[in-house]
Amino acid sequence: MAGRGALTNAEWERLEPLLPRGGTRGGRWSDHRKVIDGVLFRVRTGVQWRDLPERFGPWETVYKRHRRWSPDGTWERLLVRVQAEQDVVGGIDWDVSVDSTTARAHQQAAGAPKAAPGVSCVKGGPRRDETGRSGVAESVRPAGGGGQAGECSGRSRGGFSTKIHLSAEGRCRPLSMLLTPGQYGDSPQFEAVLEKIRVPRVGPGRPRTRPDSLSADKAYSSRKNRRYLRRRRIRHTIPEPRDQRANRRRRGPAGGRPAGFDRQRYEKRNVVERAINHLKNHRAVATRYDKRAYVYLGTVTVASLVIWLRT
């Protein structure tokens, strides 16, 4: 019997054609639906993998499937495909908002072995073949592994934490996400978050990457970010902090014109705050238990997938 939060028949019919076929050479995958339900249970409740109920099968199978699908892009492909299905019927509101949230890292998230030092956690994952899928029989080398910074863990005002930077469309659903250590600032990740917006067309055509308009709080107010938005011809509403206004006025004509601000559009920026609330309704997102950054990013992606399926 399916438990609360498990995939419905309609949701399973949408995901089944997109899942990998076959397993390792000479083997077979365990039932995808049962394993995905186990992953969803863990993401929603935050229990340790060993404490998964027996109805999901061996916990090692569920954990290893999640650990494999996180770096090879399977969870991300499922999310992007669902977004594309919504876009083709006009189900995406392209009035986008950007913000970040801090997730407190549990003590279990510390102590990941150091490997591949110098690889930044904000960069992309492994390379894929022509089909867009990494080989199922080959080991995947994910990003991260360079100590705390490489695993997107850091010491901020809130303690040991990870920061989730995301963009959300007008119906409070995440469009793109990336991770940094908790002490990292918001503004330097602004371009990277927008560059990750990529909703493919169901038919011919290039993926959509540019929103109709964008809203962000004053933490993102900088000349660099505004130049980037003007270059991409994205209408934007970002308030100018008091110190920047004073500095511009002090410079006189050399300070440039005041930044435009649409108060009515800015009031809609709460959609990204509500998207963050939806994500943090999942215990394994609100508190980071995963040692590896790529596994935690997969956890956040699974939570986003559930939001898109059920909104």
Side-chain angles (χ1 to χ4, degrees):
M1 180 181 297
R4 185 170 72 90
L7 291 173
T8 64
N9 291 333
E11 293 165 355
W12 172 245
E13 290 175 359
R14 296 174 64 183
L15 296 182
E16 185 179 17
L18 311 175
L19 295 172
R21 303 294 179 183
T24 57
R25 186 175 302 171
R28 287 171 30 179
W29 291 109
S30 298
D31 179 54
H32 277 322
R33 184 170 185 177
K34 181 168 67 173
V35 172
I36 291 176
D37 284 342
V39 174
L40 295 184
F41 180 88
R42 188 263 175 178
V43 171
R44 180 172 58 86
T45 62
V47 300
Q48 293 189 9
W49 291 103
R50 294 175 180 271
D51 295 331
L52 283 175
E54 294 182 358
R55 66 175 181 271
F56 301 121
W59 71 267
E60 297 97 331
T61 301
V62 182
Y63 166 67
K64 289 179 180 179
R65 190 78 54 87
H66 179 57
R67 188 182 63 181
R68 177 186 292 270
W69 284 2
S70 294
D72 75 0
T74 300
W75 291 127
E76 184 178 359
R77 283 193 297 273
L78 293 176
L79 175 61
V80 168
R81 182 64 179 180
V82 172
Q83 291 174 345
E85 292 175 354
Q86 288 289 312
D87 190 41
V88 76
V89 297
I92 296 182
D93 183 350
W94 285 96
D95 189 0
V96 173
S97 299
V98 176
D99 207 346
S100 70
T101 183
T102 300
R104 187 70 179 267
H106 193 270
Q107 61 184 5
Q108 296 172 357
K114 292 184 179 180
V119 181
S120 174
C121 59
V122 299
K123 294 184 179 180
R127 295 182 179 180
R128 306 185 182 98
D129 57 17
E130 294 81 2
T131 63
R133 179 173 297 159
S134 57
V136 294
E138 300 175 359
S139 60
V140 178
R141 183 181 180 182
Q148 280 194 3
E151 296 300 344
C152 300
S153 300
R155 298 285 177 179
S156 66
R157 186 177 299 178
F160 188 45
S161 58
T162 296
K163 185 172 283 189
I164 306 171
H165 305 263
L166 75 157
S167 64
E169 52 92 47
R171 293 184 172 88
C172 309
R173 295 172 295 188
L175 276 176
S176 62
M177 297 154 291
L178 62 84
L179 305 180
T180 64
Q183 76 273 18
Y184 277 33
D186 293 347
S187 184
Q189 314 305 326
F190 181 74
E191 294 185 22
V193 170
L194 293 183
E195 292 292 338
K196 287 180 68 68
I197 297 177
R198 190 175 183 85
V199 178
R201 313 286 184 178
V202 174
R206 293 180 297 177
R208 176 160 184 176
T209 60
R210 190 177 68 175
D212 292 333
S213 60
L214 181 135
S215 302
D217 61 28
K218 61 183 179 181
Y220 296 93
S221 178
S222 71
R223 291 188 175 184
K224 181 184 177 189
N225 290 342
R226 295 184 191 275
R227 282 197 301 265
Y228 170 79
L229 293 170
R230 286 195 296 267
R231 186 171 66 248
R232 295 191 61 189
R233 299 180 181 179
I234 300 175
R235 295 179 300 163
H236 56 278
T237 298
I238 303 176
E240 193 177 23
R242 183 179 303 174
D243 60 337
Q244 293 183 10
R245 292 200 304 267
N247 183 57
R248 174 175 48 78
R249 292 167 182 167
R250 184 169 53 251
R251 297 180 63 191
R257 294 178 299 177
F261 182 73
D262 187 338
R263 185 175 297 276
Q264 184 176 2
R265 180 180 296 167
Y266 186 72
E267 291 176 354
K268 299 179 181 179
R269 196 191 65 84
N270 66 84
V271 297
V272 68
E273 305 288 353
R274 290 152 65 187
I276 290 172
N277 288 340
H278 293 329
L279 281 174
K280 286 197 167 181
N281 282 334
H282 299 82
R283 291 276 300 178
V285 175
T287 301
R288 174 178 171 176
Y289 298 100
D290 302 304
K291 292 182 183 294
R292 292 297 191 186
Y294 72 88
V295 178
Y296 181 61
L297 183 58
T299 299
V300 179
T301 304
V302 171
S304 301
L305 176 63
V306 172
I307 293 172
W308 277 89
L309 287 173
R310 297 175 180 175
T311 301

